[in-house]
């Protein structure tokens, strides 16, 4: 998650930022250990560090017990809590007296979680309240834009099909229909968007699931492949330099021929080289 340890992917990062800033939802898919989580974290950091906007993000993991075995309102509650926390942090940092609040949804959960309509209405109320606070903070700080962005990694763990989908057989549709409806109700739907990541792209490719329309159908999909040779070489030489390892071009070519452009394997290879040469000079 450290920005200085993220390498390459410039075109993919630019593609994702372009869609997010336009308010278009994005799905990132690829093999395990190909760098999806690192990419999502990097894009999140870029959005939060952008001094031309007030962007509050939330980062959820679909493979946690809380969400995987929980209900859709836990995911929605975590989104709201993270957005509120980020906006409060921004307000405190900028010495603003604005204190964003998101209380309607938590109150609705305590009241009656079986009424999906009331929960959806409470979620919309909180989203509108947070966007209003973000707009005020943007005005105070003279920033031209503001938005709420949710990142949901390991997204395919919450698909509505399969033997172990549990509550998500129904909650998948409830959660994403709620978010979709709130987006459509806003005067500027681009102020609320989301980014999902996973291995299986079925969540955005299937027009229907379980005989129901898929609310995420035709979400813009990004397919993450291995790093090209130049980016792989950059990863090895940059991290290696910090550890006293120097890679020649022949060495990076040899590494690429061994493990290809998979960031995880490149790092493992570099680590093994480091461990086998612990007696080298510190310079």
């Amino acid at each position: 998650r450290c920005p200085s340890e993220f390498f390459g992917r410039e075109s993919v990062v630019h593609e994702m930022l372009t869609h997010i800033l336009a308010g278009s939802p994005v799905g990132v898919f690829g093999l395990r250990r190909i760098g999806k989580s690192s990419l999502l974290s990097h894009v999140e950091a870029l959005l939060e560090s952008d001094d031309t906007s007030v962007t509050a993000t939330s980062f959820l993991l679909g493979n946690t017990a809380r969400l995987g075995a929980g209900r859709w309102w836990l995911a929605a509650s975590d989104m709201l809590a993270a957005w509120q926390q980020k906006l409060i942090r921004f307000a405190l940092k900028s010495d603003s007296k604005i204190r964003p609040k998101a209380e309607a949804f938590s109150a609705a959960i305590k009241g009656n979680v079986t009424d999906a309509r009331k929960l959806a209405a409470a979620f919309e109320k909180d989203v509108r309240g947070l966007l209003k606070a973000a707009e005020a903070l943007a005005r105070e700080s003279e920033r031209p834009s503001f938005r709420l962005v949710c990142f949901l990694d390991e997204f395919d763990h919450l698909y509505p099909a399969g033997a172990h989908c549990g509550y998500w057989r129904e909650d998948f549709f409830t959660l994403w229909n709620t978010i979709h409806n709130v987006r459509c109700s806003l005067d500027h739907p681009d102020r609320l968007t989301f980014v999902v990541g996973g291995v299986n792209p079925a969540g955005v490719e299937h027009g229907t699931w379980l005989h129901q329309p898929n609310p995420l159908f035709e979400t813009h999909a990004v397919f993450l492949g291995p790093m090209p040779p130049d980016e792989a070489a950059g990863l090895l030489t940059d991290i290696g330099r910090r550890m006293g390892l120097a890679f020649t071009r022949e060495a990076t070519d040899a590494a690429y021929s061994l493990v290809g452009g998979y960031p995880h394997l490149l790092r493992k290879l570099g680590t093994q080289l480091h461990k086998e040469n612990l007696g080298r000079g510190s310079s």
Side-chain angles (χ1 to χ4, degrees):
R1 295 182 67 89
C2 179
S4 68
E5 294 184 3
F6 183 85
F7 299 90
R9 310 294 198 189
E10 286 87 356
S11 61
V12 176
V13 169
H14 181 266
E15 179 183 0
M16 289 181 62
L17 288 174
T18 298
H19 282 275
I20 293 170
L21 296 179
S24 174
V26 179
V28 180
F29 303 96
L31 296 175
R32 298 197 181 280
R33 298 289 189 175
I34 200 69
K36 298 184 300 297
S37 297
S38 296
L39 175 64
L40 295 182
S41 297
H42 185 67
V43 171
E44 181 191 28
L46 290 176
L47 288 170
E48 292 192 336
S49 63
D50 179 14
D51 58 7
T52 67
S53 69
V54 175
T55 300
T57 65
S58 60
F59 202 106
L60 279 61
L61 293 173
N63 62 344
T64 60
R66 173 176 170 81
L67 295 190
R71 301 301 305 267
W72 74 273
W73 54 77
L74 295 179
S77 178
D78 288 351
M79 290 180 201
L80 292 169
W83 288 333
Q84 180 185 16
Q85 183 182 41
K86 296 290 180 64
L87 289 175
I88 290 176
R89 188 183 305 168
F90 183 92
L92 292 173
K93 187 177 180 179
S94 58
D95 293 325
S96 173
K97 294 182 179 179
I98 296 172
R99 292 295 179 266
K101 293 183 179 180
E103 301 173 342
F105 193 73
S106 59
I109 293 176
K110 294 176 182 178
N112 185 1
V113 296
T114 62
D115 193 329
R117 287 188 178 184
K118 286 186 177 180
L119 290 182
F123 182 79
E124 179 178 349
K125 182 177 180 180
D126 280 344
V127 167
R128 288 182 176 276
L130 292 175
L131 284 173
K132 185 176 180 180
E135 181 179 17
L137 288 169
R139 191 183 306 114
E140 281 189 356
S141 57
E142 298 182 346
R143 302 189 181 202
S145 63
F146 59 94
R147 65 186 58 84
L148 304 176
V149 184
C150 174
F151 290 83
L152 178 53
D153 199 7
E154 302 291 349
F155 162 62
D156 37 5
H157 284 262
L158 306 181
Y159 282 178
H164 304 290
C165 59
Y167 292 116
W168 288 99
R169 187 175 180 86
E170 297 178 0
D171 283 6
F172 176 89
F173 301 99
T174 306
L175 173 66
W176 295 111
N177 279 324
T178 297
I179 294 174
H180 174 73
N181 291 336
V182 171
R183 278 172 46 84
C184 291
S185 72
L186 299 173
D187 294 334
H188 300 282
D190 58 312
R191 303 273 165 78
L192 171 64
T193 193
F194 55 86
V195 181
V196 295
V199 175
N200 182 359
V204 303
E205 291 182 340
H206 289 180
T208 60
W209 241 347
L210 304 179
H211 308 294
Q212 296 187 58
N214 181 4
L216 299 182
F217 181 53
E218 292 187 336
T219 292
H220 178 75
V222 174
F223 295 94
L224 198 62
M227 302 173 76
D230 287 346
E231 292 184 358
L235 184 155
L236 286 172
T237 56
D238 192 291
I239 296 182
R241 187 182 302 115
R242 307 177 199 183
M243 305 172 69
L245 288 170
F247 286 86
T248 64
R249 183 67 200 194
E250 291 79 8
T252 58
D253 288 345
Y256 198 84
S257 69
L258 285 171
V259 301
Y262 291 83
H264 178 68
L265 295 180
L266 287 164
R267 290 172 183 266
K268 296 287 271 186
L269 178 61
T271 297
Q272 190 62 31
L273 291 170
H274 162 65
K275 289 180 178 179
E276 291 184 0
N277 293 275
L278 292 177
R280 65 185 181 274
S282 60
S283 62

